[in-house]
Structure formats: structure tokens, C-alpha cells
Amino acid sequence: MPVSGPTYAIGELAQQFDVTTRTIRFYEQEGLLSPERRGKTRVYRDKDRVRLKLALRGKRLGFSLIEIREVLDLYDDRNHGSVRQLERMLEILADKRANLERQLEDIRAMQRELDQVEARCRAALSEIDGDAEIS
Amino acid sequence: MPVSGPTYAIGELAQQFDVTTRTIRFYEQEGLLSPERRGKTRVYRDKDRVRLKLALRGKRLGFSLIEIREVLDLYDDRNHGSVRQLERMLEILADKRANLERQLEDIRAMQRELDQVEARCRAALSEIDGDAEIS
DNA sequence: GTTGATCTTCACGTTAAGGTCAAATCCCGG
DNA sequence: CCGGGATTTGACCTTAACGTGAAGATCAAC
């Protein structure tokens, strides 16, 4: 019972996610998406939408399209293949996880730096304001 | 009293941070670093080391070199300029902060996805193992 | 039916972030 | 003083991720 739900044109999707159609086609070319076709025109379903969303998230995190494809392929692999495949999969997952952890660390450190810069910045400002008010 | 501390050759720095010397020169060309020169050869001090470290962190977070330079320039700006400059600075900082927040969100979401994939993966594995032990 | 808007494929252009030689130059231990 | 490893500048090369037309098909609306 494939309820199948709503479909989208490439332009709609582009608008929803604020990317160009070129980007979406490029992602297809790189194997991240594989919409159906009605004639020659692409027809996207919710599963494609989800993949696009995940892809854009990955991009924001600095993953390459190849890495993103890896994860996406794992994600909905109806080919839960051999033990070997599954173990490879866990390996990749552990790797991604480690990356995310490092990024978290980096972000926290970066936030601390920003705090410091901002503090000094505000100090300088209030000094100027103080002078201004006095004069 | 500029104690000045230790100095480093480009190769040392490259080794310490596991990048090539080309990268370090490129960062200089892009205005991220500005080591002294002893004759023609570059001499790096701890402040350069810190800048490089921050730069690499920024890179891991997906900042462009231009953005990184912006922040670095704010960071040690001995030209705590005009009110206008300082306000611009706070603006940029807020922007960076917002980006970091979104990345945190993205990371958490991504971690949840990985959890799910891994769970299904382990389930599939234990199923196979179970079968194997029975047979 | 024709006029826009949207879609298709094909192909070349662009930008960021370095890689990769090459040829000269520097510097240091013996 | 000198030989070999590290550095320097310069030039061109590469890859990823799209942008930017061109030229034609399609499809709804008037």
C-alpha cells in the first residue's frame, strides 16, 4: 500500500529549501537524489524531500557531497547486506560521530573566544560612551 | 618588556599542526598570518601559532578563510577603533554566534539520525548472528 | 494558438583552498 | 668553506560545488 503522498516539482523544492534548481539537479547527478520522472520532468516525493533536507544539513556541517551520499545510502539501505557491509557501516558511523564530537569541541572553544572578544569590545565601547557622557 | 618567547620555523609549525608549508604560506598570502622575517625566511612566534590554531579550528567548522580573517582581525585588533567599528564588530560576532548555534542544532539532529541508523544496523547484525548460532 | 513561465539537457565558467613542480637561496654541522 | 636539507618565490594544476547561459520542450492560461 504505497500511499505515496504529495509530490513536488523541482522549483517548489528549490524554493522550500532556498537553493537553486541547479543545485538539486547537481545533487541528483552526484547520486544524492533520484526522483521519479513523469516524461522527462522530475517528480519528487517526501522521501526525496527528506534526503534533500539531510543533505543540506550535512553541507552546513561541512561534509562533502560524497560523504553525505555515504550516510544517505546507509540511511535507507533496503539492502541491509552482509555482515561485512554492516560492520563497514558501523565503522563509518563511528567515524562520523567522532567528527561531530570534534566539531562540538571546536564550537565550544570558538564560543569562548567570541565571548572574550565581545567582552573586550563592550568594554571599549562603554569606555567611549562614558567619556562622551562626561564631556 | 617583550619577552618574545620561542620562535618556530615554517616546517616546525607545519609538523605541529599537521598541515603543509604551502598551507601556511597560503594563509599568509590571504592575510591570516604575518610572521616576521629574518632575511627572507619566515619566523613565527607564539602569537602566530595561536592564530594558526584558531584558523584551523575555524576551518574545521566550515568557515571560509575570509571569515576567519575577519574574526582574527577583530581578535587582536590593537585598533579598537571607532564606535562604528566596534558596533560592526559586535554585529559580526552575533552573526558567527548564530551560525554556531545552528551548527549545534544540526549536530544534535545528525547525531539522532546516526543513532537510528546504528540501531537498525545492530538489529540486522544480531539477527544474522542469531541465525548463525541456531544453525 | 501564442505567450510566458517552467522544465529539460549540454556545456563552459568560476571560486576556494590548497597541491605540485622548478629553480634559486639559505643556513648549519662538520 | 661546503654540501645537503630546509626555505623561498612563482607558476601552473586540481577538485568540489555549483553558476550561467543556450536552445529547445512543455504546459497552463488567455
Side-chain angles (χ1 to χ4, degrees), chain A residues 54 57-58 60-61 63 71 74-76 78 80-81 83 86-87 89-90 93 96-97 100-104 106-107 109-111 113-118 120-122 124-125 128, chain B residues 54 57-58 60-61 63 71 74-76 78 80-81 83 86-87 89-90 93 96-97 100-104 106-107 109-111 113-118 120-122 124-125 128:
Chain A
L54 292 176
R57 181 140 73 210
R60 284 198 300 273
L61 292 177
F63 290 121
V71 173
L74 299 188
Y75 193 76
D76 69 357
R78 295 296 167 242
H80 286 330
V83 173
L86 287 168
E87 275 165 355
M89 210 179 276
L90 288 177
L93 289 177
K96 302 291 177 205
R97 245 175 239 289
L100 292 181
E101 290 302 335
R102 208 184 42 179
Q103 286 202 37
L104 277 178
D106 283 339
I107 286 180
M110 182 76 79
Q111 283 177 332
E113 316 273 2
L114 291 185
D115 286 346
Q116 290 191 18
V117 178
E118 180 161 353
R120 287 191 310 169
C121 191
R122 289 199 183 285
L125 256 183
I128 294 174
Chain B
L54 291 176
R57 182 141 73 208
R60 285 198 299 273
L61 291 177
F63 290 120
V71 173
L74 299 188
Y75 193 74
D76 68 357
R78 294 298 165 239
H80 285 332
V83 174
L86 288 168
E87 276 165 355
M89 209 180 276
L90 288 176
L93 289 178
K96 302 291 177 206
R97 248 176 236 290
L100 292 180
E101 290 302 335
R102 208 182 44 179
Q103 285 201 37
L104 277 177
D106 283 340
I107 286 180
M110 183 75 80
Q111 284 177 331
E113 316 273 2
L114 292 186
D115 286 346
Q116 290 191 16
V117 178
E118 179 160 354
R120 288 192 309 169
C121 191
R122 290 201 182 285
L125 256 183
I128 293 174

Coordinates of all heavy atoms in Angstrom, one line a residue, chain A residues 54 57-58 60-61 63 71 74-76 78 80-81 83 86-87 89-90 93 96-97 100-104 106-107 109-111 113-118 120-122 124-125 128, chain B residues 54 57-58 60-61 63 71 74-76 78 80-81 83 86-87 89-90 93 96-97 100-104 106-107 109-111 113-118 120-122 124-125 128:
Chain A
L54 N 18.4 16.3 4.7 CA 19.5 15.8 5.4 C 20.8 16.2 4.7 O 21.8 16.5 5.3 CB 19.5 14.3 5.4 CG 18.4 13.7 6.2 CD1 18.3 12.1 6.1 CD2 18.6 14.0 7.7
R57 N 21.7 19.7 5.6 CA 22.2 19.7 6.9 C 23.7 19.3 6.9 O 24.5 19.9 7.5 CB 21.4 18.8 7.8 CG 21.9 18.7 9.2 CD 20.7 18.7 10.2 NE 20.0 17.4 10.2 CZ 18.7 17.2 10.4 NH1 17.9 18.2 10.6 NH2 18.2 16.0 10.4
G58 N 23.9 18.2 6.2 CA 25.3 17.7 6.1 C 26.2 18.8 5.5 O 27.3 19.0 6.0
R60 N 25.9 22.0 5.7 CA 26.1 23.0 6.7 C 27.2 22.6 7.7 O 27.9 23.4 8.3 CB 24.8 23.4 7.5 CG 23.9 24.2 6.7 CD 22.8 24.9 7.6 NE 22.0 24.0 8.3 CZ 20.9 23.4 7.8 NH1 20.5 23.7 6.6 NH2 20.2 22.6 8.5
L61 N 27.3 21.3 7.9 CA 28.3 20.8 8.8 C 29.6 20.5 8.1 O 30.5 20.0 8.7 CB 27.8 19.5 9.5 CG 26.6 19.7 10.4 CD1 26.1 18.3 10.9 CD2 27.0 20.6 11.6
F63 N 30.3 18.5 5.5 CA 30.5 17.3 4.9 C 30.6 17.5 3.4 O 29.9 18.4 2.8 CB 29.4 16.3 5.2 CG 29.4 15.8 6.6 CD1 28.3 16.0 7.4 CD2 30.5 15.1 7.1 CE1 28.3 15.5 8.7 CE2 30.5 14.7 8.4 CZ 29.4 14.9 9.2
V71 N 26.4 8.5 3.9 CA 25.4 8.4 5.0 C 24.0 8.1 4.5 O 23.3 7.3 5.0 CB 25.5 9.6 5.9 CG1 24.4 9.6 6.9 CG2 26.8 9.8 6.5
L74 N 23.5 4.7 3.5 CA 23.4 3.8 4.7 C 21.9 4.0 5.2 O 21.3 3.0 5.5 CB 24.3 4.2 5.8 CG 25.8 4.2 5.5 CD1 26.6 4.5 6.8 CD2 26.1 2.8 4.9
Y75 N 21.5 5.2 5.2 CA 20.3 5.6 5.9 C 19.1 4.7 5.4 O 18.4 4.2 6.2 CB 20.0 7.0 5.7 CG 18.9 7.5 6.6 CD1 19.2 7.7 8.0 CD2 17.6 7.7 6.2 CE1 18.2 8.2 8.8 CE2 16.6 8.2 7.0 CZ 16.9 8.4 8.3 OH 15.9 8.8 9.2
D76 N 18.9 4.7 4.1 CA 17.7 4.0 3.7 C 18.0 2.8 2.9 O 17.4 2.5 1.9 CB 16.8 4.9 2.9 CG 17.4 5.3 1.6 OD1 18.6 4.9 1.3 OD2 16.8 6.0 0.8
R78 N 17.8 -0.5 1.8 CA 16.9 -1.7 1.9 C 17.8 -2.9 1.6 O 17.3 -4.0 1.7 CB 15.8 -1.5 1.0 CG 14.9 -0.4 1.3 CD 14.2 -0.6 2.7 NE 13.6 0.6 3.2 CZ 14.0 1.2 4.3 NH1 15.0 0.8 5.0 NH2 13.3 2.3 4.7
H80 N 20.2 -4.3 3.5 CA 21.0 -4.5 4.7 C 21.9 -5.7 4.6 O 21.7 -6.7 5.2 CB 20.0 -4.7 5.9 CG 19.3 -3.6 6.4 ND1 19.8 -2.3 6.3 CD2 18.0 -3.4 6.9 CE1 18.9 -1.4 6.7 NE2 17.8 -2.1 7.1
G81 N 22.9 -5.5 3.7 CA 23.7 -6.5 3.1 C 24.3 -7.5 4.1 O 23.7 -8.0 5.1
V83 N 27.2 -9.2 6.7 CA 27.8 -8.8 7.9 C 28.9 -7.8 7.7 O 29.1 -6.8 8.3 CB 28.4 -10.0 8.7 CG1 29.2 -9.6 9.9 CG2 27.3 -11.0 9.1
L86 N 27.6 -4.5 7.0 CA 27.0 -3.8 8.2 C 28.1 -3.3 9.1 O 28.1 -2.3 9.7 CB 26.2 -4.8 9.0 CG 24.8 -5.1 8.3 CD1 24.1 -6.3 8.9 CD2 23.9 -3.9 8.3
E87 N 29.2 -4.1 9.2 CA 30.3 -3.7 10.0 C 31.0 -2.5 9.4 O 31.4 -1.6 10.2 CB 31.3 -4.8 10.2 CG 30.8 -5.7 11.4 CD 31.5 -7.1 11.4 OE1 32.3 -7.4 10.5 OE2 31.3 -7.8 12.3
M89 N 29.5 -0.3 7.8 CA 28.6 0.7 8.1 C 28.8 1.3 9.5 O 28.9 2.5 9.7 CB 27.2 0.1 8.1 CG 26.1 1.1 7.6 SD 24.5 0.2 7.6 CE 24.5 -0.6 6.0
L90 N 29.0 0.4 10.5 CA 29.2 0.9 11.9 C 30.5 1.6 12.0 O 30.6 2.6 12.7 CB 29.2 -0.3 12.8 CG 27.8 -1.0 13.0 CD1 28.0 -2.2 13.9 CD2 26.9 0.0 13.7
L93 N 29.9 5.1 10.7 CA 29.1 5.8 11.7 C 30.0 6.3 12.8 O 29.9 7.5 13.2 CB 28.0 4.9 12.2 CG 26.8 4.6 11.2 CD1 25.8 3.7 11.8 CD2 26.2 5.9 10.8
K96 N 31.9 9.3 11.6 CA 31.1 10.5 11.6 C 30.9 11.0 13.0 O 31.0 12.2 13.2 CB 29.7 10.2 11.0 CG 29.7 9.6 9.6 CD 30.2 10.6 8.6 CE 30.3 10.0 7.2 NZ 31.3 10.7 6.3
R97 N 30.6 10.1 13.9 CA 30.4 10.5 15.3 C 31.6 11.2 15.8 O 31.5 12.3 16.5 CB 30.1 9.3 16.1 CG 28.8 9.2 16.7 CD 28.6 7.8 17.4 NE 27.5 7.1 16.8 CZ 26.3 7.4 16.9 NH1 25.9 8.5 17.6 NH2 25.3 6.7 16.4
L100 N 31.7 14.7 14.6 CA 30.8 15.6 15.2 C 31.2 16.0 16.6 O 31.1 17.1 17.0 CB 29.4 14.8 15.3 CG 28.7 14.6 14.0 CD1 27.4 13.9 14.2 CD2 28.5 15.9 13.2
E101 N 31.8 15.0 17.3 CA 32.3 15.3 18.7 C 33.4 16.4 18.6 O 33.4 17.4 19.4 CB 32.9 14.1 19.3 CG 31.9 13.0 19.7 CD 30.9 13.6 20.7 OE1 31.2 14.5 21.4 OE2 29.7 13.0 20.7
R102 N 34.3 16.3 17.6 CA 35.3 17.3 17.5 C 34.8 18.6 17.1 O 35.2 19.7 17.6 CB 36.4 16.8 16.4 CG 37.7 17.4 16.7 CD 38.7 17.1 15.7 NE 38.1 17.2 14.3 CZ 38.8 17.0 13.2 NH1 40.0 16.6 13.3 NH2 38.2 17.2 12.0
Q103 N 33.7 18.6 16.3 CA 33.1 19.9 16.0 C 32.4 20.5 17.2 O 32.5 21.7 17.3 CB 32.1 19.6 14.9 CG 32.7 19.4 13.5 CD 31.7 19.7 12.4 OE1 30.9 20.7 12.5 NE2 31.7 18.9 11.3
L104 N 31.8 19.7 18.0 CA 31.2 20.2 19.2 C 32.3 20.9 20.1 O 32.1 22.0 20.5 CB 30.6 19.1 20.0 CG 29.2 18.7 19.6 CD1 28.7 17.5 20.4 CD2 28.2 19.9 19.7
D106 N 35.1 22.1 19.1 CA 35.5 23.3 18.4 C 34.5 24.4 18.6 O 34.9 25.6 18.8 CB 35.7 23.0 16.9 CG 36.9 22.3 16.5 OD1 37.9 22.3 17.3 OD2 37.0 21.7 15.4
I107 N 33.3 24.1 18.5 CA 32.3 25.1 18.7 C 32.3 25.7 20.1 O 32.3 27.0 20.2 CB 30.9 24.6 18.4 CG1 30.7 24.3 16.9 CG2 29.8 25.5 18.9 CD1 29.3 23.8 16.5
A109 N 34.9 25.9 22.1 CA 36.1 26.7 22.2 C 35.9 28.0 21.4 O 36.2 29.1 22.0 CB 37.2 25.9 21.5
M110 N 35.3 27.9 20.3 CA 35.1 29.1 19.5 C 34.1 30.1 20.2 O 34.3 31.3 20.2 CB 34.5 28.7 18.1 CG 34.2 29.8 17.2 SD 35.7 30.5 16.4 CE 36.0 29.2 15.1
Q111 N 33.1 29.5 20.8 CA 32.2 30.4 21.6 C 32.9 31.1 22.7 O 32.6 32.3 23.0 CB 31.0 29.5 22.1 CG 30.0 29.2 21.0 CD 28.9 28.3 21.6 OE1 29.1 27.5 22.5 NE2 27.7 28.4 20.9
E113 N 36.0 32.0 22.7 CA 36.8 33.0 22.1 C 35.9 34.2 21.8 O 36.2 35.4 22.1 CB 37.4 32.6 20.8 CG 38.1 31.2 20.8 CD 39.5 31.3 21.3 OE1 40.0 32.3 21.6 OE2 40.1 30.2 21.3
L114 N 34.8 33.9 21.2 CA 33.8 35.0 20.9 C 33.4 35.8 22.1 O 33.3 37.0 22.1 CB 32.6 34.5 20.2 CG 32.9 34.0 18.8 CD1 31.6 33.6 18.1 CD2 33.6 34.9 17.9
D115 N 33.2 35.1 23.2 CA 32.9 35.7 24.5 C 33.9 36.8 24.8 O 33.6 37.9 25.2 CB 32.7 34.7 25.6 CG 31.5 33.9 25.5 OD1 30.6 34.3 24.7 OD2 31.4 32.8 26.1
Q116 N 35.2 36.3 24.7 CA 36.2 37.2 25.1 C 36.3 38.4 24.2 O 36.4 39.6 24.7 CB 37.6 36.5 25.1 CG 37.7 35.4 26.2 CD 39.1 34.9 26.3 OE1 40.0 35.5 25.8 NE2 39.2 33.7 26.9
V117 N 36.3 38.2 22.9 CA 36.3 39.3 22.0 C 35.2 40.3 22.3 O 35.4 41.5 22.4 CB 36.3 38.9 20.6 CG1 36.3 40.1 19.6 CG2 37.4 37.9 20.2
E118 N 34.0 39.7 22.5 CA 32.9 40.6 22.8 C 33.0 41.4 24.0 O 32.7 42.6 24.1 CB 31.6 39.7 22.8 CG 30.4 40.6 23.1 CD 29.1 39.9 22.7 OE1 29.1 38.8 22.1 OE2 28.0 40.5 23.0
R120 N 35.8 42.4 25.5 CA 36.7 43.5 25.3 C 36.1 44.6 24.5 O 36.3 45.8 24.7 CB 38.0 42.9 24.6 CG 38.8 42.1 25.6 CD 40.2 41.9 25.0 NE 40.0 41.3 23.6 CZ 41.0 41.2 22.7 NH1 42.2 41.6 23.1 NH2 40.8 40.7 21.5
C121 N 35.3 44.1 23.5 CA 34.6 45.1 22.6 C 33.7 46.0 23.4 O 33.7 47.2 23.3 CB 33.9 44.3 21.5 SG 33.3 45.2 20.2
R122 N 32.9 45.3 24.2 CA 31.9 46.1 25.0 C 32.6 47.0 26.0 O 32.2 48.1 26.3 CB 31.0 45.1 25.8 CG 30.0 44.4 24.8 CD 28.8 43.9 25.6 NE 28.0 43.1 24.6 CZ 27.2 43.7 23.7 NH1 27.1 45.0 23.6 NH2 26.5 43.0 22.9
A124 N 35.5 48.4 25.6 CA 36.0 49.6 24.8 C 34.8 50.5 24.5 O 35.0 51.8 24.7 CB 36.6 49.1 23.5
L125 N 33.7 50.0 24.2 CA 32.5 50.8 23.9 C 32.1 51.6 25.1 O 31.9 52.8 25.0 CB 31.4 49.9 23.4 CG 31.1 50.0 21.9 CD1 29.9 49.1 21.6 CD2 30.9 51.4 21.4
I128 N 34.2 54.5 25.8 CA 33.9 55.7 24.9 C 32.7 56.4 25.3 O 32.6 57.6 25.5 CB 33.8 55.2 23.5 CG1 35.2 54.7 23.0 CG2 33.3 56.3 22.6 CD1 35.1 54.0 21.6
Chain B
L54 N 43.7 28.9 15.8 CA 42.3 29.4 15.6 C 41.8 29.2 14.2 O 40.7 28.9 13.9 CB 42.3 30.9 16.0 CG 42.5 31.2 17.5 CD1 42.5 32.7 17.7 CD2 41.4 30.5 18.3
R57 N 40.9 25.7 13.5 CA 39.6 25.4 14.2 C 38.5 26.0 13.3 O 37.5 25.3 13.1 CB 39.6 26.1 15.5 CG 38.4 25.8 16.3 CD 38.7 25.5 17.8 NE 39.0 26.8 18.4 CZ 39.8 26.8 19.5 NH1 40.4 25.7 20.0 NH2 40.1 27.9 20.1
G58 N 38.6 27.2 12.9 CA 37.6 27.8 12.0 C 37.4 27.0 10.8 O 36.2 26.7 10.4
R60 N 37.8 23.8 10.4 CA 37.0 22.6 10.7 C 35.6 22.9 10.9 O 34.7 22.0 10.7 CB 37.6 22.0 12.0 CG 38.9 21.3 11.9 CD 39.2 20.3 13.0 NE 39.3 21.0 14.3 CZ 40.4 21.6 14.8 NH1 41.5 21.5 14.1 NH2 40.4 22.1 16.0
L61 N 35.3 24.1 11.3 CA 33.9 24.5 11.4 C 33.3 25.0 10.1 O 32.1 25.5 10.1 CB 33.7 25.5 12.5 CG 34.0 25.0 13.9 CD1 34.0 26.1 14.9 CD2 33.1 23.9 14.3
F63 N 34.2 27.5 8.2 CA 34.4 29.0 7.9 C 35.3 29.1 6.7 O 36.2 28.3 6.5 CB 34.9 29.8 9.0 CG 34.0 29.9 10.2 CD1 34.4 29.4 11.5 CD2 32.8 30.5 10.1 CE1 33.5 29.6 12.5 CE2 31.9 30.7 11.1 CZ 32.3 30.2 12.4
V71 N 37.4 37.4 11.8 CA 37.4 37.2 13.2 C 38.8 37.4 13.8 O 38.9 38.1 14.9 CB 36.9 35.8 13.6 CG1 37.1 35.5 15.0 CG2 35.5 35.6 13.1
L74 N 39.5 41.0 14.2 CA 38.8 41.5 15.4 C 39.6 41.1 16.6 O 39.8 41.9 17.5 CB 37.4 40.9 15.5 CG 36.4 41.2 14.3 CD1 35.1 40.7 14.7 CD2 36.4 42.7 14.0
Y75 N 40.0 39.9 16.6 CA 40.5 39.3 17.8 C 41.7 40.1 18.4 O 41.6 40.4 19.6 CB 41.0 37.9 17.5 CG 41.3 37.1 18.8 CD1 40.2 36.6 19.5 CD2 42.6 36.8 19.2 CE1 40.5 35.9 20.7 CE2 42.8 36.1 20.3 CZ 41.8 35.7 21.1 OH 42.0 35.0 22.2
D76 N 42.6 40.4 17.6 CA 43.8 41.1 18.2 C 43.9 42.5 17.7 O 45.0 43.0 17.5 CB 45.1 40.3 18.0 CG 45.4 40.3 16.6 OD1 44.7 40.8 15.7 OD2 46.5 39.7 16.2
R78 N 44.5 45.9 17.8 CA 45.0 46.9 18.7 C 44.4 48.2 18.3 O 44.7 49.2 18.9 CB 46.5 46.9 18.7 CG 47.1 45.6 19.3 CD 46.8 45.4 20.7 NE 47.0 44.0 21.2 CZ 46.1 43.2 21.6 NH1 44.9 43.6 21.7 NH2 46.4 42.0 22.0
H80 N 41.2 49.3 18.5 CA 39.9 49.2 18.9 C 39.2 50.5 18.5 O 38.8 51.3 19.3 CB 39.8 49.1 20.5 CG 40.2 47.8 21.0 ND1 40.0 46.6 20.3 CD2 40.7 47.4 22.2 CE1 40.5 45.6 21.0 NE2 40.9 46.0 22.1
G81 N 38.9 50.6 17.2 CA 38.6 51.8 16.5 C 37.5 52.6 17.1 O 37.2 52.7 18.3
V83 N 33.4 53.9 17.4 CA 32.2 53.2 17.9 C 31.6 52.4 16.7 O 31.1 51.3 16.9 CB 31.2 54.3 18.3 CG1 29.8 53.7 18.7 CG2 31.7 55.0 19.6
L86 N 33.4 49.2 16.4 CA 33.1 48.3 17.4 C 31.7 47.7 17.3 O 31.5 46.5 17.5 CB 33.2 49.0 18.8 CG 34.6 49.4 19.2 CD1 34.6 50.3 20.4 CD2 35.4 48.1 19.6
E87 N 30.8 48.5 16.8 CA 29.4 48.0 16.6 C 29.4 47.0 15.5 O 28.7 46.0 15.5 CB 28.4 49.2 16.4 CG 28.0 49.7 17.7 CD 27.3 51.1 17.6 OE1 27.3 51.6 16.5 OE2 26.8 51.6 18.6
M89 N 31.7 45.2 14.7 CA 32.4 44.0 15.3 C 31.3 43.2 16.0 O 31.2 42.0 15.8 CB 33.4 44.5 16.3 CG 34.6 43.6 16.5 SD 35.7 44.3 17.7 CE 36.7 45.4 16.7
L90 N 30.5 43.8 16.9 CA 29.5 43.1 17.6 C 28.5 42.4 16.7 O 28.0 41.3 16.9 CB 28.8 44.0 18.6 CG 29.6 44.5 19.8 CD1 28.8 45.5 20.6 CD2 30.0 43.3 20.6
L93 N 30.1 39.3 15.3 CA 30.1 38.3 16.4 C 28.8 37.7 16.6 O 28.7 36.4 16.7 CB 30.6 39.0 17.7 CG 32.0 39.4 17.8 CD1 32.3 40.1 19.1 CD2 32.9 38.2 17.6
K96 N 28.3 35.2 13.8 CA 29.1 34.0 14.0 C 28.4 33.1 15.0 O 28.2 31.9 14.9 CB 30.5 34.3 14.5 CG 31.3 35.2 13.6 CD 31.7 34.5 12.3 CE 32.4 35.4 11.4 NZ 32.3 35.0 10.0
R97 N 27.9 33.8 16.1 CA 27.3 33.0 17.1 C 26.0 32.3 16.6 O 25.8 31.1 17.0 CB 26.8 34.0 18.2 CG 27.5 33.9 19.5 CD 27.1 35.0 20.4 NE 28.2 35.8 20.9 CZ 29.1 35.3 21.7 NH1 29.0 34.1 22.2 NH2 30.1 36.1 22.1
L100 N 27.0 29.3 14.8 CA 27.4 28.2 15.7 C 26.2 27.5 16.3 O 26.1 26.3 16.4 CB 28.3 28.8 16.8 CG 29.7 29.3 16.3 CD1 30.5 29.8 17.5 CD2 30.4 28.2 15.6
E101 N 25.2 28.3 16.7 CA 24.0 27.7 17.3 C 23.3 26.8 16.3 O 22.9 25.7 16.6 CB 23.0 28.9 17.6 CG 23.4 29.7 18.8 CD 23.7 28.9 20.1 OE1 23.1 27.8 20.2 OE2 24.4 29.3 21.0
R102 N 23.3 27.3 15.0 CA 22.6 26.4 14.0 C 23.4 25.1 13.8 O 22.9 24.0 13.7 CB 22.5 27.1 12.7 CG 21.3 26.6 11.9 CD 21.2 27.3 10.6 NE 22.5 27.4 9.9 CZ 22.7 28.0 8.7 NH1 21.7 28.5 8.1 NH2 23.9 28.0 8.2
Q103 N 24.7 25.3 13.9 CA 25.6 24.1 13.7 C 25.3 23.1 14.9 O 25.3 21.9 14.7 CB 27.0 24.5 13.7 CG 27.4 25.0 12.3 CD 28.9 24.9 12.1 OE1 29.5 23.9 12.4 NE2 29.5 25.9 11.4
L104 N 25.2 23.7 16.1 CA 24.9 22.8 17.2 C 23.6 22.0 17.0 O 23.6 20.8 17.2 CB 24.8 23.6 18.5 CG 26.1 24.0 19.2 CD1 25.9 24.9 20.4 CD2 26.9 22.8 19.6
D106 N 22.2 21.4 14.2 CA 22.4 20.4 13.1 C 23.2 19.2 13.6 O 22.8 18.0 13.3 CB 23.3 21.1 12.0 CG 22.5 22.0 11.1 OD1 21.2 21.8 11.1 OD2 23.1 22.8 10.5
I107 N 24.1 19.4 14.5 CA 24.9 18.3 15.0 C 24.0 17.4 15.8 O 24.0 16.2 15.7 CB 26.1 18.8 15.8 CG1 27.2 19.3 14.9 CG2 26.7 17.6 16.7 CD1 28.4 19.8 15.6
A109 N 20.8 17.0 15.7 CA 19.9 16.3 14.8 C 20.6 15.2 14.1 O 20.1 14.0 14.0 CB 19.3 17.3 13.7
M110 N 21.8 15.5 13.6 CA 22.6 14.5 12.9 C 22.9 13.3 13.8 O 22.9 12.1 13.4 CB 23.9 15.1 12.4 CG 24.8 14.3 11.6 SD 24.2 14.0 9.9 CE 24.7 15.5 9.1
Q111 N 23.3 13.6 15.0 CA 23.5 12.5 16.0 C 22.3 11.6 16.2 O 22.5 10.4 16.2 CB 24.0 13.1 17.3 CG 25.4 13.6 17.3 CD 25.9 14.2 18.5 OE1 25.1 14.8 19.3 NE2 27.2 14.2 18.8
E113 N 20.0 11.0 14.0 CA 19.9 10.2 12.8 C 20.9 9.0 12.8 O 20.5 7.9 12.6 CB 20.2 11.0 11.5 CG 19.6 12.4 11.4 CD 18.2 12.4 10.8 OE1 17.7 11.3 10.5 OE2 17.7 13.5 10.7
L114 N 22.1 9.4 13.2 CA 23.1 8.3 13.3 C 22.7 7.2 14.3 O 22.9 6.1 14.1 CB 24.5 8.9 13.7 CG 25.1 9.8 12.6 CD1 26.5 10.2 13.1 CD2 25.2 9.1 11.3
D115 N 22.1 7.7 15.4 CA 21.6 6.7 16.4 C 20.7 5.7 15.8 O 20.8 4.5 16.0 CB 20.9 7.5 17.5 CG 21.9 8.2 18.5 OD1 23.1 7.9 18.4 OD2 21.4 9.0 19.2
Q116 N 19.8 6.3 15.0 CA 18.7 5.4 14.4 C 19.4 4.5 13.4 O 19.1 3.3 13.4 CB 17.7 6.3 13.7 CG 16.8 7.1 14.6 CD 15.6 7.7 13.9 OE1 15.3 7.3 12.8 NE2 15.0 8.6 14.6
V117 N 20.2 5.0 12.5 CA 20.9 4.1 11.6 C 21.6 3.0 12.3 O 21.5 1.8 12.0 CB 21.8 4.9 10.7 CG1 22.5 3.9 9.7 CG2 21.1 6.0 9.9
E118 N 22.3 3.4 13.3 CA 23.1 2.4 14.0 C 22.2 1.3 14.7 O 22.6 0.2 14.7 CB 24.0 3.1 15.1 CG 24.8 2.1 15.9 CD 26.0 2.7 16.6 OE1 26.2 3.9 16.4 OE2 26.7 2.0 17.3
R120 N 19.3 0.3 13.8 CA 18.8 -0.6 12.8 C 19.9 -1.6 12.3 O 19.7 -2.7 12.0 CB 18.2 0.1 11.6 CG 16.9 0.8 11.9 CD 16.2 1.3 10.7 NE 17.2 2.1 9.9 CZ 17.0 2.5 8.7 NH1 15.9 2.2 8.1 NH2 17.9 3.3 8.1
C121 N 21.1 -1.0 12.2 CA 22.2 -1.7 11.7 C 22.5 -2.9 12.7 O 22.7 -4.0 12.3 CB 23.4 -0.8 11.6 SG 24.8 -1.4 10.8
R122 N 22.6 -2.5 14.0 CA 22.9 -3.5 15.0 C 21.8 -4.6 15.1 O 22.1 -5.8 15.3 CB 23.0 -2.9 16.4 CG 24.3 -2.0 16.5 CD 24.7 -1.8 17.9 NE 25.8 -0.9 18.0 CZ 27.1 -1.3 17.7 NH1 27.3 -2.6 17.3 NH2 28.1 -0.5 17.7
A124 N 20.0 -5.6 12.6 CA 20.2 -6.5 11.4 C 21.3 -7.5 11.7 O 21.2 -8.7 11.4 CB 20.5 -5.7 10.2
L125 N 22.4 -7.0 12.3 CA 23.5 -7.8 12.6 C 23.2 -8.9 13.6 O 23.5 -10.1 13.4 CB 24.6 -7.0 13.3 CG 25.8 -6.6 12.3 CD1 26.8 -5.8 13.1 CD2 26.4 -7.9 11.8
I128 N 21.3 -11.7 12.1 CA 22.2 -12.6 11.3 C 22.9 -13.5 12.3 O 23.0 -14.7 12.1 CB 23.2 -11.8 10.5 CG1 22.4 -11.1 9.4 CG2 24.2 -12.7 9.9 CD1 23.3 -10.1 8.6

